[in-house]
Amino acid sequence: MIQSRRRLLLVTRNFPPLCGGMERLNWHIAAELSRHFALYVIAPQGAAAQVPDGVRSIEVPLAPLRAFIGHSAWQTWRAARRFRPDVVLAGSGLTAPIALWAARACGAKSAAYVHGLDVAVPHPLYRLLWRPWLRGLDVVIANSRA
């Protein structure tokens, strides 16, 4: 019996064509995961030209932030319901609530890759809203001690 590839949905604001370390890291994460999973990426406008070969993507507006959050939440939920991933991965703490919500909508595992201040940021709104969402994920991977 042939087993189909597992499916993973990645949602992130940090992805090329934006430039920076987190963006390069998320691209490399996508490239490696695409070797082992059928991969779908929700990322900012311009990302479709940058995703690794064989990876499907949906672009959402980068700015303003509330537009990114609203559009990415809606598109991630829709993709989760259609694509039926085994795992929904947030590419940062910012998209962790979206990943958790989408994972619950389709019965997938939820995970986030967090960077430094994603966990330690002192902003009261972030502490009130995002930290509880991070605690609700199945897996949190941190790349620093912050």
Side-chain angles (χ1 to χ4, degrees):
M1 177 164 148
I2 298 174
Q3 187 177 8
S4 63
R5 288 177 82 187
R6 298 198 48 146
R7 297 169 180 222
L8 192 138
L9 176 58
L10 170 63
V11 57
T12 185
R13 190 167 190 248
N14 305 103
F15 203 85
L18 300 179
C19 297
M22 290 171 58
E23 290 75 15
R24 281 193 311 273
L25 177 61
N26 272 299
W27 187 90
H28 284 287
I29 289 170
E32 285 302 311
L33 289 172
S34 71
R35 295 175 57 204
H36 306 282
F37 291 86
L39 182 62
Y40 212 121
V41 175
I42 311 293
Q45 288 174 336
Q50 307 290 325
V51 296
D53 290 338
V55 173
R56 293 189 283 175
S57 64
I58 295 176
E59 296 179 338
V60 296
L62 175 65
L65 181 59
R66 68 181 174 276
F68 170 80
I69 291 171
H71 285 277
S72 62
W74 172 245
Q75 293 297 342
T76 302
W77 182 83
R78 286 184 65 212
R81 300 288 291 167
R82 291 181 179 162
F83 182 59
R84 296 304 225 189
D86 298 292
V87 177
V88 181
L89 173 64
S92 71
L94 176 68
T95 55
I98 297 167
L100 180 57
W101 181 56
R104 287 183 177 168
C106 67
K109 295 290 184 184
S110 59
Y113 188 83
V114 296
H115 315 273
L117 291 178
D118 283 344
V119 178
V121 68
H123 192 280
L125 185 61
Y126 189 88
R127 286 177 183 251
L128 178 69
L129 298 177
W130 265 260
R131 281 189 176 177
W133 286 94
L134 287 170
R135 288 184 193 104
L137 295 165
D138 293 304
V139 174
V140 175
I141 303 161
N143 70 354
S144 76
R145 293 180 190 254

